Each structure stands twice: as structure tokens, then as C-alpha cells.
Amino acid sequence: MSNLQMKEAALIYLDRSGGLQKFLDDCKYYNDSKQSYAVYRFSILINPSDVAELDAELGNHILHQPLKAAQVFQSVCFIAVKTLSLIGQLQTETQINIVLKLTHLPPLPSYSLDLCEFPLDYTSQRFYMMQGIVIAMTTVTKYTQGARFLCSDEACPLSKGFQYIRVHVPGATESATVRNDFLCNLCSSPLQEDRKFRVLGDKQIVEIITTKALHAFRGYSDNQPFRFQSLTIFLRDESVNKMNIGNEYKIIGIPTCVKTSQTAVCIEANSIAFCNPKVPSGISDSFRCLLSLTSSSCWKFTAILANSFASQIVPPGTYNLLKLCLLMSLVQTSDRNKKLEDCLDILIITSDTLLVDRLLNFSINLVPRGIHHPVSTEIFPTLSRNKYGTGAVSIQAGTALLAKGGICFIGDLASYKKDKLEQLQSVVESRSITVYIPGKKFGDDIDQQMTFPVQCSFWSFVDMDSSSRRNMQKTNALIGQMDCSLIPANLLEAFVLLINCNESSPCHPLLPTVHHTLKKAIDPEGLLYIASKQFTTEDFEKLLAFAKNLNVEFSVEAERMIHGYYLASRRIRTDSKCGSKLSSSALKYLVSLSEAHARLNLRNKVLKEDVLIAALLFETSLTLKYGATVFCVAPNAVFPFELYNEENLEQRDMYLTQCQQQLQQFIATYGPGTPVFASDE
């Protein structure tokens, strides 16, 4: 009686949810094909809450005994097919393969699987929800959905018909569905597969790690030990190719124990959903107050941000140019699928690699996907053989794909060999990486290739103070140009921002840094400055999380200025022999820099004041790469004065206003003649 009630409830649910109409459409497809199958597969979308309200016992079966629940729906569907003559070729109930696709699970701890906890439950054969980031995936291969077996004894009644049907169930290997040691229940003769009735499906294997595991790739440890391991997910049929490396997903599936060459806990995925990030509600009161006090200026707020940023690492007022660039790069990261041109790559020339390394390590921890590349691993995807013996190639993510929507800090460029630097240059220029899969090496007849977008900003530095580098440095031929001959020229051009942080540069005052280091040695946990108390690390995290989600648009004046500067700068840096030193992507970088400054000011509109900061930063980088030109920008143009008080901020605003007038004069002299730009320009 209980089973009959569940069947009635299943039929009512199918009718109410629209699943019955989908089932009829699927039956019509099978019937029109005029082909006999060993297994007819039907996917049914299930809302557990609706089912539980309709029939508590059936809802309980779906959540805790999904295989038995599938049998209930299998029986209902078989009766419907036979009663309504929906599929003429169907003979037995076992030929119907029901796959229940759950929309969600109850938001209770008992239905959640934490990848950091041990041991994982793989014995209950029920649904769990887990969340993780894809770190590896295989190519798509085939598996057996179902097969027909016949008794080898022709005199046996079971040597015909569809009495022996093998169907894949969660956790089963290929050998569990198809092998040669099955025996007939009637006469004990060996069973033989009727191969022409075998039904194949698509299969893909991915590996995920919990988001907490990314803390292992951060630049510092908070001394809180934790355990994590990757978890293998089996995707089948319509779930194949629904996951991308680097993305975070919520997965509903059944944990199982797979025994191949090694025993491992895996998940048979049932449904997959992309994790949408939470949008922050706002900024801290301290920054809200500061924004109000500086509302009369378009430059003061970001100046104070840069001045007080990372006061735990460097004293306020030092490395302001670098800190502003770091904040602008951080604010261009995104938790969603960002535009590739939003990335702001930074290369730092320094003689104090230890301090710069600490500063960059501190900064990447302010965004969810800030990763410090471990030297022992690969930056970009690599290939390996799949450990589950499916014949598929496993593509390992690499640090750059794991840092999707964030920052990939790759350390000292000098630690990489020539081939890695060439690969880095290619990726930074194209914002994609192509993985070639040789067929012969991995047991396939056909070579394949897969292309992945690289959606992160790269940070790196070069130590120009070592003895070997000092001996190799050449005399600069152009004013303002740095000797960067140790860095491949094409790679140097690929980085948006080149920043000089040597002792002789204005952004590297030595004495305050020495005092800071000594104070930190005495009191490592102490807050040495008022700025550290006014604007905490959590305040900066909230600010960046809010600012990077702002949608910005250009004002007419800003758009006119940015195009004018780009064309003017391109013209004066063009010669008859080498052509233009500005690539076509330079305009995208200028747009991204302008947007970053506007976002950092918590504005939705890009103003010409934002374009000025973008132009000064960009021109400073160009000067270091190629030398000064007619539009001569001082190395400390963005921060010409030390910011001790309100008067210094006013002086900076007056200086930047003069720079804006010079920029407009430069555009008027060397830029396009009209506000409407010709297509050839």
C-alpha cells in the first residue's frame, strides 16, 4: 500500500511540475526513431520541497534513498508507456533508466559535505551538496549507460528478449556494467552481451578543492592548521562540459568509493550550479567619512588611500606610487566573469625585493583569488594521465587559471627560464593559453587542443641590485629610460605598468623604512601608526569588494581626452624604421586604468581627472621603457609631495591641475584636430 501511494504521488508530481509532458516528448522521440535500445534514459527534474509537501515518504526516499526513489518513478513511467503505447519497442521495465535531477537540497548541515572534514561519508548512497573550485578536468570519453545480455544456451528461454539489462548506477565502474562473468539465473550458463544494443553516454572527470584551500597559496600563514584534499567529480551526459577550470560551483551528488588502481572517494554529480558571489553592501564608516570630507576633490580620496595602505608592511607615505597601482589593479579584479582587458599587470624594478615581496603578499590577500605562485608548481596548465584509467587526458589548472578573476603573483622574473618567460609573454598579450594534447602519447588517434581564457592580473618584480645585474647594466641612451636589457623586450612591453622602486627613486625613501623595520622587530603585532587604527585591513577588504563591483561609464570629456592622449602619444612615439612603440592594446590599458581610478573613488562615472591619473601612470611606464618625449612626465608626477596634512593635499591638487592643462595642450598640439575621430586614426 505504501509503495502504491508513492507511485500515485510520483504521477501527480510529474503532472503538476510539467515533467509528464517532457516524458511524453522523450517517448515520442524514441518511438519515432524506430530503433530498439537496450535502455531508454529519462531525466526528471525534482524539487525535493514540492515532493515532500505532496508525499513525505516519497520525499524522504528521494533525499535518503535515491536509488529506491528512482525505481518508483521507473515503475510509473513503464506503466504509462505500456498503457498509452508510447514506445512500441519497449518490452521490460528494466529497460527504463530514470535519472532524478535535484534542483536543491535542504539548507541543513547534514546535507552539506565539507571537503576539509574527515572522514567523508561514502556509504549512505544519498545526496550531498558540496562547493569547490575546479582545479583539473579530463577530456570527454564514453561510458556504457546500459547493455543487453542474453543466455548463451539457445535452449534457455532467456536467450531471447530483454530480461538481462545492465544499467550504470552511481559509483559503478565500467566493469560493473559490462563484463564476461555474468551467469544466467535460470540455467547458470554464461551470459553474452548483445553489442548492437549497447547504449553509450559521455563522461568527464573533474577535480575540485574547497575555497578554503586557496589559503595555502597565499603569501602568508595565519598559523591556523587545516587539512584539504581534492575531490573527484564524475560528470555524465548532459552535465559534461558544464564546468570550467578555475570556476567555483555548487554540486549535488552521491559520494561513492571507486576502486581502480587506487581506492578513492568520488562524487557522482547529479546537478551543477555556478556560484554567484555575494555583492557587498557598502564600505566602512571610516572610509565613508573620509569620502565625504574629500568630496570636493577627485584626487584626494585615492591619495589618502595609497598613503595609508599597507601600513603594517611599510610606513605611511612610502611607496605611494606602487601602492596606488596595486590598489588600482586590485579594484579591477572581479568575482564574476570579467572582461579580459580589465586586467592590470604590474612589473616592479626594485633593489629591495624583500620589502616589495612582503607588500605584494599583503595585497593579494585582500581579494578572494589572490594567489602567490609556488615555485615548485606550474603557472599554466599541464597534462597528465588520468589516474582512474579511463583513457582520458587530465588537464591540471596551474596557478594562473586558479587565480581567475584575481591576482597571480609570480615573484621574481629572474627565477624563470627563457621558455617560461616566452610563454608568459604570449599569455599576457593574448589573455589565453592553448593546451596541445598529442594523441599518440595519450592513446588517441587524433591530436586535440583546448584554449582557456586567462582572467587574472600578473604581478612580478625584478631585482636590479644584484652584483651580476649591476655588471651587465648598460649606459642609457635616452633621458628617463631604465636599463631593462635583462628582461625580454617583448615581455617588458606586455606589462601595462612598469614601476621603478629603487633607492634613488622618489617612491623609496630609506630612513622611514629602516625605522619601521626596527619597530616591527621589537613589536611585530603592534599598530605603529594612526593610519593603521583608522583604516584597518578589514576596511580595505570591504572597500575593494564594494568598489570592484561598481559599473562605470565614461563621460564625454573623459572619452575625448583618453582618445586624444592615445593618438597623440602614438604619433610622437612612431618612427619610420620601427613603427609605433604603442600597441593597439594601449588604448584598452588606458581605459582600464581610468576605470580603476574611478572605481577606487567609488564613482560610477569616469571623469577627465581619472584619465589624467591613467595618462600619468602610463606615460611614466613608457618613459622607463623607451625614454622621455615631448610630453615629459616627472617620475613622481602622481605624488609630487609628501602627504603630511591638508595643505600637502591641496598642493598636489594644484600640481595635478597644471598637469591636466599640459595634457590638454599636448593633445591639442599632437592629437586629432576634431573631436570626431576618423577611422584611420
Side-chain angles (χ1 to χ4, degrees):
M1 182 62 68
S2 174
N3 196 34
L4 181 60
Q5 289 177 348
M6 285 195 293
K7 290 179 182 179
E8 290 177 355
L11 182 59
I12 294 172
Y13 174 77
L14 287 174
D15 185 35
R16 291 180 179 177
S17 65
L20 190 58
Q21 183 59 51
K22 181 180 181 301
F23 173 72
L24 294 175
D25 294 339
D26 292 342
C27 288
K28 186 177 185 302
Y29 168 79
Y30 283 125
N31 193 53
D32 292 345
S33 69
K34 302 300 181 183
Q35 181 181 351
S36 293
Y37 296 88
V39 172
Y40 296 86
R41 185 177 183 274
F42 298 96
S43 177
I44 300 176
L45 189 65
I46 297 291
N47 185 318
S49 301
D50 292 345
V51 176
E53 287 183 8
L54 183 64
D55 187 280
E57 187 174 3
L58 179 58
N60 184 63
H61 269 59
I62 288 173
L63 292 175
H64 302 106
Q65 296 177 304
L67 297 182
K68 289 185 178 180
Q71 291 174 0
V72 174
F73 282 90
Q74 180 189 45
S75 179
V76 171
C77 293
F78 177 71
I79 294 172
V81 169
K82 282 303 183 181
T83 303
L84 302 176
S85 302
L86 298 175
I87 304 176
Q89 307 92 320
L90 183 69
Q91 296 186 24
T92 63
E93 184 175 317
T94 54
Q95 286 181 266
I96 292 183
N97 180 19
I98 298 295
V99 180
L100 303 180
K101 293 285 186 180
L102 272 60
T103 58
H104 67 281
L105 287 177
L108 300 172
S110 59
Y111 293 98
S112 179
L113 195 67
D114 191 337
L115 304 186
C116 291
E117 290 184 355
F118 185 83
L120 298 178
D121 177 20
Y122 58 88
T123 59
S124 60
Q125 286 284 294
R126 71 172 180 87
F127 288 115
Y128 285 90
M129 194 282 290
M130 64 228 68
Q131 186 169 328
I133 299 169
V134 179
I135 62 169
M137 64 190 305
T138 67
T139 51
V140 179
T141 56
K142 295 294 182 181
Y143 82 102
T144 303
Q145 280 185 2
R148 176 197 188 193
F149 285 82
L150 300 172
C151 182
S152 58
D153 187 352
E154 295 183 359
C156 179
L158 299 181
S159 62
K160 299 176 182 179
F162 291 84
Q163 301 302 317
Y164 290 117
I165 300 296
R166 301 288 298 179
V167 178
H168 171 81
V169 295
T173 60
E174 185 73 7
S175 61
T177 308
V178 180
R179 62 175 189 263
N180 56 12
D181 61 348
F182 297 127
L183 299 178
C184 177
N185 293 332
L186 188 61
C187 66
S188 298
S189 299
L191 297 182
Q192 294 179 340
E193 183 191 358
D194 189 353
R195 290 183 177 273
K196 66 178 179 290
F197 283 94
R198 181 183 289 192
V199 180
L200 299 178
D202 293 329
K203 176 180 67 176
Q204 189 178 30
I205 302 174
V206 304
E207 288 186 47
I208 65 171
I209 57 172
T210 177
T211 310
K212 298 176 185 177
L214 289 183
H215 292 299
F217 300 97
R218 298 298 179 94
Y220 74 97
S221 172
D222 56 4
N223 297 320
Q224 294 295 326
F226 63 94
R227 174 191 177 278
F228 75 91
Q229 67 179 42
S230 64
L231 188 67
T232 302
I233 309 292
F234 280 81
L235 306 178
R236 300 187 188 272
D237 304 304
E238 59 269 9
S239 296
V240 163
N241 289 328
K242 290 291 181 68
M243 302 177 79
N244 295 319
I245 290 181
N247 281 350
E248 186 175 4
Y249 297 91
K250 289 182 179 178
I251 303 157
I252 295 176
I254 300 176
T256 59
C257 183
V258 176
K259 295 181 180 180
T260 53
S261 58
Q262 54 186 349
T263 302
V265 177
C266 306
I267 301 293
E268 281 276 350
N270 179 269
S271 61
I272 303 164
F274 181 78
C275 287
N276 292 313
K278 295 180 180 178
V279 179
S281 57
I283 60 175
S284 66
D285 292 337
S286 56
F287 277 134
R288 190 177 291 109
C289 179
L290 177 64
L291 186 64
S292 176
L293 292 173
T294 58
S295 58
S296 61
S297 168
C298 294
W299 296 309
K300 288 181 180 179
F301 184 70
T302 52
I304 297 174
L305 287 183
N307 192 71
S308 58
F309 178 60
S311 57
Q312 301 89 332
I313 309 299
V314 293
T318 60
Y319 290 89
N320 278 354
L321 178 64
L322 174 57
K323 290 190 291 185
L324 177 63
C325 293
L326 294 179
L327 286 170
M328 291 172 66
S329 182
L330 288 170
V331 87
Q332 285 298 90
T333 62
S334 174
D335 298 326
R336 301 185 296 270
N337 288 330
K338 62 184 288 186
K339 296 182 293 183
L340 297 180
E341 57 265 26
D342 282 347
C343 301
L344 287 179
D345 307 308
I346 299 177
L347 178 60
I348 304 160
I349 310 297
T350 182
S351 58
D352 192 344
T353 56
L354 180 61
L355 203 58
V356 169
D357 184 81
R358 288 175 179 171
L359 181 57
L360 269 58
N361 276 328
F362 172 83
S363 302
I364 63 174
N365 283 274
L366 299 179
V367 291
R369 292 290 188 97
I371 296 181
H372 188 169
H373 170 67
V375 180
S376 59
T377 61
E378 296 290 336
I379 302 178
F380 302 113
T382 56
L383 301 178
S384 64
R385 294 189 181 276
N386 173 36
K387 62 185 179 182
Y388 291 96
T390 61
V393 182
S394 180
I395 303 167
Q396 307 295 319
T399 310
L401 296 190
L402 280 182
K404 184 175 183 178
I407 305 294
C408 181
F409 173 30
I410 58 177
D412 191 350
L413 279 185
S415 62
Y416 298 97
K417 295 182 179 179
K418 181 181 178 182
D419 59 330
K420 297 297 181 184
L421 294 179
E422 291 175 350
Q423 189 180 31
L424 175 63
Q425 172 213 326
S426 174
V427 169
V428 171
E429 290 177 345
S430 65
R431 289 294 157 189
S432 65
I433 180 71
T434 300
V435 179
Y436 296 93
I437 306 173
K440 291 183 179 180
K441 182 177 180 181
F442 293 98
D444 199 352
D445 297 331
I446 304 173
D447 294 341
Q448 300 182 57
Q449 68 178 41
M450 298 180 69
T451 300
F452 302 93
V454 179
Q455 297 172 284
C456 69
S457 297
F458 291 95
W459 291 357
S460 185
F461 61 81
V462 176
D463 181 9
M464 300 299 287
D465 201 37
S466 65
S467 57
S468 59
R469 290 176 175 79
R470 281 200 301 267
N471 294 335
M472 293 177 61
Q473 287 182 358
K474 303 174 183 178
T475 304
N476 295 329
L478 299 175
I479 297 174
Q481 184 181 21
M482 282 199 69
D483 175 28
C484 301
S485 56
L486 296 171
I487 309 169
N490 292 335
L491 178 59
L492 185 68
E493 293 173 5
F495 277 87
V496 182
L497 294 174
L498 180 65
I499 302 172
N500 177 23
C501 280
N502 285 325
E503 289 184 12
S504 58
S505 70
C507 66
H508 190 127
L510 187 59
L511 195 57
T513 305
V514 173
H515 288 166
H516 174 89
T517 305
L518 292 174
K519 290 179 181 178
K520 273 292 181 181
I522 298 171
D523 185 10
E525 303 298 327
L527 299 177
L528 306 182
Y529 311 100
I530 297 177
S532 305
K533 302 174 183 178
Q534 286 180 328
F535 310 117
T536 65
T537 303
E538 291 75 20
D539 291 341
F540 275 100
E541 284 186 32
K542 290 182 66 176
L543 175 75
L544 292 171
F546 179 78
K548 69 183 181 181
N549 286 292
L550 292 174
N551 294 319
V552 296
E553 59 180 16
F554 273 78
S555 65
V556 176
E557 295 84 0
E559 190 170 352
R560 188 174 300 164
M561 179 178 284
I562 202 169
H563 279 81
Y565 167 70
Y566 168 72
L567 293 173
S569 185
R570 186 176 176 86
R571 285 174 179 173
I572 63 172
R573 293 188 184 276
T574 300
D575 57 52
S576 56
K577 293 183 179 180
C578 303
S580 177
K581 294 178 180 178
L582 261 70
S583 64
S584 57
S585 57
L587 182 59
K588 296 179 182 178
Y589 297 148
L590 285 167
V591 169
S592 186
L593 285 166
S594 303
E595 289 179 345
H597 193 263
R599 284 194 174 100
L600 206 56
N601 270 294
L602 305 180
R603 280 190 270 103
N604 294 104
K605 189 174 285 292
V606 178
L607 306 178
K608 58 183 181 180
E609 287 83 0
D610 301 310
V611 176
L612 172 68
I613 297 297
L616 292 178
L617 292 174
F618 195 71
E619 191 67 31
T620 301
S621 297
L622 290 178
T623 302
L624 292 174
K625 295 176 184 177
Y626 312 116
T629 58
V630 176
F631 183 50
C632 189
V633 174
N636 61 338
V638 179
F639 288 96
F641 309 105
E642 294 182 348
L643 304 180
Y644 291 123
N645 49 42
E646 177 67 22
E647 184 180 350
N648 298 137
L649 289 171
E650 291 292 342
Q651 289 178 334
R652 179 176 180 267
D653 275 14
M654 294 175 59
Y655 179 84
L656 290 177
T657 302
Q658 294 175 1
C659 290
Q660 191 165 6
Q661 294 171 355
Q662 293 173 8
L663 176 60
Q664 290 171 336
Q665 182 61 44
F666 171 67
I667 294 172
T669 306
Y670 296 96
T674 62
V676 180
F677 304 112
S679 58
D680 59 333
E681 290 179 322

